[in-house]
Amino acid sequence: MTLLPSTDLPTQDLPTTDLSDLHPQARVLAPVFTEYGGRPRFVGAAVTLRVQDHNPLVRAELETPGEGRVLVVDGGGSLNCALLGGMLGELGVSSGWAGVIVHGCVRDTAELRRLNLGVRALAPHPRKSGKQLQGERGVPVTFAGVTIQPGDMMYADEDGILVLPAISE
């Protein structure tokens, strides 16, 4: 059976490989991320943050109702400290977030693996982040060769991370 490209097909349950075949224009993040959460497959609308070595905005966002969305954190690729750990991961689960993608580091990886939360990041790091409330929310972020707009649909599974534009109504 051959699948033809169609925007009418349900995408929630399709693997990224099939989505990529159906939507050749889809943006695919470079394969630089490692899986750290207990949910290897997750889908949701992007909520974007840009922060640098300080995570209070990450906490503040994870305290809001996630409604199955994906928090996309552009940490500038910093390898200086972790922007997400076990406590914030638990907060994300209890608030209903589907996943968190961090262009930076995470910590408490054993705890993150036990959570029903998708987590992708560049690397683990034992050091906690700074606590200054700085950064931007709801802005386009660019990393791993892709620009992600707030509201874009994020699809992550064992084969990678794919982005489709938000559907305008």
Side-chain angles (χ1 to χ4, degrees), residues 1-13:
M1 176 176 151
T2 303
L3 293 175
L4 299 175
S6 170
T7 56
D8 298 332
L9 291 172
T11 55
Q12 294 291 97
D13 298 321

Side-chain angles (χ1 to χ4, degrees), residues 72-134:
V72 179
V73 181
D74 181 0
S78 173
L79 302 177
N80 296 328
C81 63
L83 295 173
L84 177 80
M87 288 175 48
L88 292 187
E90 288 177 13
L91 185 57
V93 171
S94 66
S95 296
W97 289 86
V100 182
I101 299 169
V102 181
H103 185 231
C105 296
V106 296
R107 68 189 213 156
D108 305 321
T109 58
E111 291 175 45
L112 292 175
R113 288 192 200 292
R114 290 192 295 268
L115 298 177
N116 185 21
L117 182 71
V119 178
R120 297 293 197 288
L122 297 178
H125 200 295
R127 181 165 290 132
K128 67 181 178 179
S129 76
K131 300 304 175 197
Q132 292 180 2
L133 185 60
Q134 59 186 41

